[in-house]
Amino acid sequence: PDRERASLHPLFAPERAPGNVALVADAVGPTLSPLLDALRAAGNELFETTPAEHDEAMSTIQAKSHAAVLAWALAGDDVREEFHTPVSAGLRDLAATVTDGEARVYADIQDAFGGADAVADAAREIADADDEA
């Protein structure tokens, strides 16, 4: 209890720094303050959160978004560049970003926060929808 404590979650891959960093600042003092200042000076945006809020957000921000992008990449076929629309080209670029990382990281995210089942359920709902829905 007499030690400084903070949890940091950079919301970007190292090669995409700087970016947003989720911060749970439990007990910050003279040891952690310079570290946090250095992260800010490097152009990162630190924002405070709680463990519960962080984990709830990561279910959508990481697990569901990664699952949706990967599902699109797996379901899609290779097409000539000229056929791409702004939406499909954006998804193609997102899929390249997601698959650029280590598979273990994405597996860890799914294990920790779920998401793929919710995306599959949503895809099934879309597939089963009538014209009005």
Side-chain angles (χ1 to χ4, degrees), residues 9-128:
H9 180 186
L11 299 171
F12 52 88
E15 63 273 11
R16 292 184 181 84
N20 289 339
V21 179
L23 167 65
V24 176
D26 190 49
V28 176
T31 301
L32 287 176
S33 288
L35 170 68
L36 301 179
D37 291 343
L39 289 169
R40 288 182 185 101
N44 296 290
E45 289 290 327
L46 278 64
F47 67 95
E48 290 202 35
T49 186
T50 65
E53 181 185 39
H54 168 271
D55 289 357
E56 185 177 331
M58 290 307 103
S59 173
T60 292
I61 299 304
Q62 287 188 318
K64 291 173 186 167
S65 64
H66 294 168
V69 169
L70 291 171
W72 177 86
L74 289 169
D77 297 319
D78 287 333
V79 297
R80 289 189 351 219
E81 182 65 29
E82 299 89 351
F83 284 113
H84 277 290
T85 66
V87 171
S88 68
L91 285 167
R92 179 200 57 212
D93 293 346
L94 287 171
T97 298
V98 170
T99 58
D100 188 42
E102 293 183 37
R104 175 195 54 78
V105 172
Y106 299 103
D108 289 348
I109 289 168
Q110 289 303 315
D111 286 343
F113 304 112
D117 288 338
V119 171
D121 291 345
R124 176 55 42 212
E125 186 177 338
I126 291 167
D128 292 344

Side-chain angles (χ1 to χ4, degrees), residues 2-19:
D2 58 340
R3 307 278 185 197
E4 294 181 45
R5 296 172 304 284
S7 292
L8 299 155
H9 180 186
L11 299 171
F12 52 88
E15 63 273 11
R16 292 184 181 84

